[in-house]
Amino acid sequence: DNFDMDVICISANDYLKVSKIKAARDGNSNCFSNITDTQIPQLRQFVHQRTAQFCKANVKSFVESTKDVLDQMKLLASDVDDVPSGRSAFRMKNQFENKMRDLDKSIRPLADQFKSVIDQKVRQSLTSSLKNGASKGSAQAASIVDSWGSKSRRSNGERRPDKNGLYWSTYNAVTRREGVYTSGTAGAVDLNQELIDPMEKEMSTEWQSVLDSTIKRLLNDAERKILQLSTSTITAFAQELQSSGLDTARITSMLNTANRSATTALKTSFRDMAGVATNSQRDLSRELLPSIKEKMRPTYTNVQSVPRGSGTFDRMKSAMSSSCNHVVHSMFDDATRTLLSGITNLINQMKSMIGQSGEIVQKNSAVVFSICWDDTESKKMISPEMAKQIRECRDSLLPSLNTLVGIQNEACDLLGIEREEIELDVMGVETFDQQLARRKEEAKLNGDFFDMCDSDSELNIEPKKGVYVKNEKFTRGATSAAKTQEAEVIDLCDSDDDEYDKKPAAKPSIQYS
């Protein structure tokens, strides 16, 4: 299935003649007398189908995005009197940021796994295929170059390895134009393409398997897992919002709006990733021909620089053979290194784009949930009169938004767009007090709990072994010094300087009568 593709063999010239687009003086068709047999109508239908697929995908993305915007506007225009403020709003913002950080940590291993699988596939199959292709290209280059000067010459309708020669005039014209020329007798000639044909044939299967099929499969797998992580993260945060006292119906509306917005953005992002992968691998495959052409340019210059006169054609062929032998090995090795470097850059780019999925979810869901904390800050600066005008504006906007939402729903039905509705699991919600009690019990079990309000009488403090408490009344002597050396001494009564204790106490300078 990975290599399932439509193959259409056309005869454009016969189609033009049968359909009488070409003038009668151009002669009759060569093979076909029926337009359908030329397969031009089938090609036209295929192009129309592919174009319609891209158009439909773009329209669906546009409709989903506009519906997300309408849902967000409707949410903002609805009643927001129950929005928490103060510490509750600050706590919700911190909870949201913590959830997004956890989501980002969960996405990173998926990006690393994508890169690991692709790197392994490239090392095991594609790299060896490219090197084998370079070896075949180098091995067959000499015979291909010699075949251009063969007396068994090609024609406009036939070219084989044993029938690949060019006339002197064509040979001269081709080398003067850096290996590319269209001849009236030999047809289209591209010497550079003929040199890389063995390499391309060797690597084409693995190239298609790794850079097209495998990348698409891994992207689809990563998209599915990240969409699940996004939905579960947003749902978990919405459940935490229930402990703040917000209306359940409003939280459900916020949940679905945020989840749809994040889902639309993620699908768009992964569709862009697939486009980047397709365009990059196509551009990489097209770099091979310019690379060979650049390496062959000095050879064509040398061929054109031979002395003219009797034996010119033989000298041109000799110059072509000797110059090509000097560059043929480095030519294919450099092309292989260029391709592998481009593949590495593509893989790193794809990994980076997958790793940014968490930021996409945070950005799109924050637009919805941020009304729980941003809106409360803005209310502090709004006068009652302004608040009344805002309320009236919101109330007048809701009917228009409902009308637009109805139109959007009809568009979604027309395009077959089904949007997931998530219901909150009320029984599974953990309130803030329950969460605090749970953490308290966990801290007690781990020995990390200390009650600052408890009395000292309940503390069971055992003296540390090997620790002596020094008493000032004891005579300082050998015994005390010995104990000080044997163990740690804690002096509870002594001052910083023992000599200070021997001094008489100072008399007060002021006498009271």
Side-chain angles (χ1 to χ4, degrees):
D1 292 340
N2 292 333
F3 298 94
D4 185 19
M5 64 179 65
D6 294 284
V7 178
I8 303 173
C9 301
I10 64 170
S11 177
N13 192 46
D14 282 3
Y15 172 81
L16 294 174
K17 292 179 178 180
V18 172
S19 60
K20 301 187 183 306
I21 296 176
K22 274 192 171 185
R25 63 177 177 271
D26 291 327
N28 297 325
S29 59
N30 296 324
C31 297
F32 305 107
S33 58
N34 190 344
I35 291 180
T36 304
D37 294 337
T38 64
Q39 294 200 12
I40 292 294
Q42 291 89 320
L43 176 62
R44 183 189 293 113
Q45 183 181 5
F46 172 77
V47 172
H48 289 171
Q49 289 176 349
R50 293 293 295 168
T51 304
Q53 290 176 0
F54 283 110
C55 291
K56 184 177 181 179
N58 291 331
V59 170
K60 290 180 67 174
S61 177
F62 174 76
V63 170
E64 290 175 341
S65 299
T66 52
K67 187 159 189 353
D68 293 337
V69 173
L70 284 176
D71 290 342
Q72 294 169 16
M73 293 176 64
K74 187 177 179 180
L75 191 63
L76 288 170
S78 61
D79 189 10
V80 291
D81 293 336
D82 60 344
V83 173
S85 59
R87 293 183 178 180
S88 297
F90 180 75
R91 184 173 68 247
M92 284 192 297
K93 183 178 181 180
N94 285 339
Q95 289 174 341
F96 175 78
E97 292 175 350
N98 291 334
K99 290 292 184 183
M100 292 300 110
R101 279 194 289 268
D102 292 341
L103 174 63
D104 190 63
K105 292 178 182 178
S106 301
I107 290 177
R108 289 177 194 169
L110 297 178
D112 293 337
Q113 182 183 13
F114 173 88
K115 184 178 184 301
S116 175
V117 173
I118 288 293
D119 284 340
Q120 183 179 9
K121 190 77 173 178
V122 169
R123 287 194 304 268
Q124 292 180 350
S125 58
L126 185 55
T127 300
S128 60
S129 177
L130 287 173
K131 291 181 178 180
N132 290 337
S135 299
K136 286 190 175 181
S138 300
Q140 298 181 26
S143 60
I144 293 174
V145 169
D146 292 340
S147 70
W148 297 336
S150 172
K151 293 184 178 180
S152 179
R153 298 180 175 91
R154 70 179 78 177
S155 64
N156 193 7
E158 184 181 11
R159 184 177 76 86
R160 302 192 307 269
D162 59 341
K163 193 176 182 180
N164 199 37
L166 299 171
Y167 289 99
W168 175 85
S169 58
T170 305
Y171 197 97
N172 183 54
V174 171
T175 55
R176 192 166 60 242
R177 293 167 177 82
E178 298 182 344
V180 182
Y181 178 67
T182 300
S183 168
T185 56
V189 180
D190 191 340
L191 305 184
N192 308 299
Q193 182 63 52
E194 293 178 24
L195 284 173
I196 64 173
D197 277 342
M199 183 176 181
E200 287 187 338
K201 290 178 182 178
E202 178 67 22
M203 72 178 194
S204 59
T205 301
E206 294 299 332
W207 183 278
Q208 174 72 19
S209 175
V210 175
L211 296 185
D212 189 17
S213 302
T214 302
I215 286 183
K216 286 181 179 179
R217 176 176 56 82
L218 293 177
L219 282 179
N220 290 334
D221 187 55
E223 179 181 4
R224 177 180 54 81
K225 293 179 179 179
I226 292 176
L227 284 173
Q228 292 175 351
L229 287 173
S230 173
T231 300
S232 61
T233 300
I234 294 174
T235 303
F237 175 69
Q239 289 176 340
E240 291 184 0
L241 287 181
Q242 288 188 325
S243 62
S244 63
L246 286 176
D247 180 63
T248 301
R250 180 169 175 79
I251 296 177
T252 302
S253 178
M254 294 171 64
L255 164 63
N256 284 288
T257 301
N259 184 60
R260 290 168 181 168
S261 179
T263 299
T264 301
L266 284 174
K267 288 182 177 180
T268 301
S269 176
F270 274 93
R271 187 163 55 248
D272 293 341
M273 292 183 206
V276 168
T278 300
N279 294 333
S280 297
Q281 66 94 6
R282 183 173 61 241
D283 294 340
L284 281 173
S285 64
R286 292 174 178 174
E287 286 183 4
L288 191 57
L289 181 58
S291 175
I292 298 299
K293 184 177 181 179
E294 180 65 26
K295 292 290 185 179
M296 287 293 293
R297 182 173 286 116
T299 300
Y300 298 136
T301 302
N302 293 336
V303 171
Q304 287 294 311
S305 300
V306 300
R308 301 294 169 166
S310 178
T312 299
F313 194 15
D314 291 335
R315 287 191 292 272
M316 292 176 69
K317 291 188 288 185
S318 177
M320 174 71 79
S321 179
S322 60
S323 298
C324 189
N325 288 333
H326 284 94
V327 300
V328 64
H329 295 289
S330 62
M331 178 170 61
F332 289 102
D333 290 341
D334 291 346
T336 301
R337 283 192 292 268
T338 300
L339 290 177
L340 290 175
S341 176
I343 292 171
T344 301
N345 294 335
L346 172 60
I347 295 173
N348 291 332
Q349 183 182 6
M350 301 302 297
K351 176 189 173 183
S352 176
M353 295 179 72
I354 294 174
Q356 294 172 0
S357 299
E359 298 178 8
I360 295 174
V361 176
Q362 180 176 3
K363 178 181 177 181
N364 287 272
S365 57
V367 172
V368 178
F369 289 122
S370 61
I371 61 176
C372 294
W373 50 84
D374 290 346
D375 193 61
T376 57
E377 294 296 327
S378 61
K379 277 185 174 180
K380 298 177 181 179
M381 308 300 295
I382 297 177
S383 63
E385 294 78 8
M386 179 61 69
K388 180 181 178 181
Q389 294 179 6
I390 294 175
R391 181 73 272 167
E392 292 175 351
C393 179
R394 285 175 169 173
D395 293 340
S396 63
L397 182 61
L398 279 174
S400 300
L401 288 177
N402 289 331
T403 302
L404 291 175
V405 169
I407 297 174
Q408 284 293 115
N409 290 335
E410 293 178 359
C412 289
D413 294 339
L414 183 64
L415 293 171
I417 299 175
E418 296 181 0
R419 315 206 81 185
E420 181 183 5
E421 290 285 344
I422 302 176
E423 295 293 337
L424 280 176
D425 183 10
V426 180
M427 300 301 295
V429 176
E430 183 181 45
T431 64
F432 178 74
D433 293 336
Q434 292 172 340
Q435 188 182 67
L436 187 62
R438 176 177 55 79
R439 291 180 178 177
K440 180 178 177 180
E441 292 299 325
E442 291 176 355
K444 286 182 178 181
L445 293 175
N446 297 329
D448 298 330
F449 180 78
F450 183 75
D451 193 347
M452 299 294 295
C453 301
D454 203 358
S455 62
D456 294 339
S457 60
E458 297 180 5
L459 295 176
N460 184 18
I461 303 177
E462 297 180 358
K464 187 177 180 181
K465 295 182 179 180
V467 177
Y468 295 88
V469 179
K470 184 178 179 181
N471 192 326
E472 286 287 342
K473 294 182 179 180
F474 290 169
T475 303
R476 299 178 180 90
T479 304
S480 177
K483 288 184 178 181
T484 302
Q485 295 176 358
E486 292 174 1
E488 181 183 356
V489 176
I490 301 178
D491 191 348
L492 299 178
C493 304
D494 200 4
S495 63
D496 295 337
D497 189 0
D498 290 340
E499 297 299 328
Y500 182 79
D501 297 337
K502 301 177 182 180
K503 297 179 181 180
K507 296 181 179 181
S509 59
I510 300 176
Q511 297 181 354
Y512 299 92
S513 57

